Structure formats: structure tokens, C-alpha cells
Amino acid sequence: MGDSFFKKENAKKKAKKLKEKAQRREERKSSNNKGKSLESMFVYVDENGQLHDTPPTQERTEINLEDIQLGAAPIPEESPVKTGTVEKFILEKGYGFIREDNGSGDTIFFHTNDLLELVKQQDRVTFEKEKSPKGYKAIQIKKL
């Protein structure tokens, strides 16, 4: 009695696996690193972090230790007096908003208690910024 179809297929699969395994073994043998010189296995890193096969020939640039800054960059000191335009002012409610002239377009809240002289909408003013629980607040407000 002959072998069944499934037995023949399983035998073919086993033979194929053995052949692939032998082929992979031969590839590993041909591409191994045994016998290579130590110099050929080195990789060099330049000052920019790039990897190279050859040692760097370029001279190193000296770095002044005083130029190295540790930690966060210092925040430049801003002048306390700022300028802006009264964007909106509601005298009945006692508050308004000033748009800063620094180009950011930020609006800053102010209260009538912080006015040194009475202002109206579109007036150019000088003021100082103060941090409040809800954001910045303008104080010491004067007309220009």
C-alpha cells in the first residue's frame, strides 16, 4: 500500500526545512567576522557625532570653559515700564484691557483702582505688569 497524500506533503515540508537550514548555516559561515583584524572592527565618532570607518584627521577645536553654560538660559531682565493701547474700558464696571506694544498682541487686565489718571479707549498708556492669581495685571497706569 502506498503513502497517503498528507504523508508525502509532510515529507516534502521537512526536506524543504532541512535545505533552508543548511543554506542559512552556509551563509553564517561565509559572513562571519572571524579572522578580521581589530582595526577593521573599529568605528570612529567625530565631534559632530557622525560614525566613520577611518580615524579623524581634522584637528580638534578648543572650547573655552567660560563659554559653557550649565542649566537653563538666563532670562533677560525686562524693563518694568511697558507701553500699550487701551483696548477696552468699561467705566461703569471699573475695569478694562490694555494691548501691549511689544508685538505679541497680549491683552492685560487692569482695574480702575490702578489708574493714576483717567483713560478712555484707544489712549496710549504706560504701565507696569504684575503677576496676579488669574494672570498678569497692569498697575501704575498713566497716559502718554
Side-chain angles (χ1 to χ4, degrees):
M1 192 184 261
D3 288 336
S4 69
F5 174 76
F6 292 109
K7 283 185 181 181
K8 288 179 187 177
E9 288 297 313
N10 285 339
K12 285 181 187 178
K13 285 182 185 178
K14 280 185 180 181
K16 185 179 178 185
K17 281 185 182 181
L18 286 173
K19 186 178 177 183
E20 288 174 356
K21 188 174 182 180
Q23 187 179 7
R24 286 194 305 265
R25 187 180 315 126
E26 288 300 318
E27 285 176 11
R28 278 196 307 270
K29 282 184 181 180
S30 65
S31 66
N32 72 0
N33 288 334
K34 289 183 181 176
K36 288 189 177 180
S37 68
L38 184 63
E39 289 294 320
S40 66
M41 290 188 260
F42 281 152
V43 176
Y44 300 94
V45 181
D46 66 4
E47 64 269 5
N48 298 322
Q50 303 295 323
L51 300 176
H52 300 282
D53 293 336
T54 59
T57 57
Q58 183 176 344
E59 296 234 355
R60 299 170 108 184
T61 56
E62 289 295 320
I63 298 173
N64 189 1
L65 294 179
E66 285 77 32
D67 293 343
I68 298 174
Q69 178 183 334
L70 298 176
I75 298 172
E77 192 68 35
E78 294 182 9
S79 68
V81 178
K82 311 244 184 233
T83 60
T85 307
V86 177
E87 181 99 352
K88 186 175 187 179
F89 180 53
I90 304 169
L91 184 60
E92 297 82 33
K93 295 191 176 184
Y95 68 90
F97 296 93
I98 298 172
R99 181 167 303 277
E100 279 190 272
D101 288 342
N102 65 0
S104 66
D106 294 339
T107 56
I108 300 166
F109 172 82
F110 71 91
H111 194 270
T112 53
N113 294 346
D114 298 318
L115 292 172
L116 298 177
E117 51 189 91
L118 195 58
V119 296
K120 58 184 180 196
Q121 283 187 355
Q122 303 306 318
D123 277 351
R124 302 254 315 127
V125 294
T126 61
F127 62 94
E128 293 180 18
K129 276 172 83 170
E130 179 182 78
K131 186 82 170 162
S132 69
K134 294 184 179 180
Y136 284 105
K137 173 183 173 182
I139 57 171
Q140 304 291 326
I141 304 164
K142 288 191 269 186
K143 279 187 186 179
L144 275 180

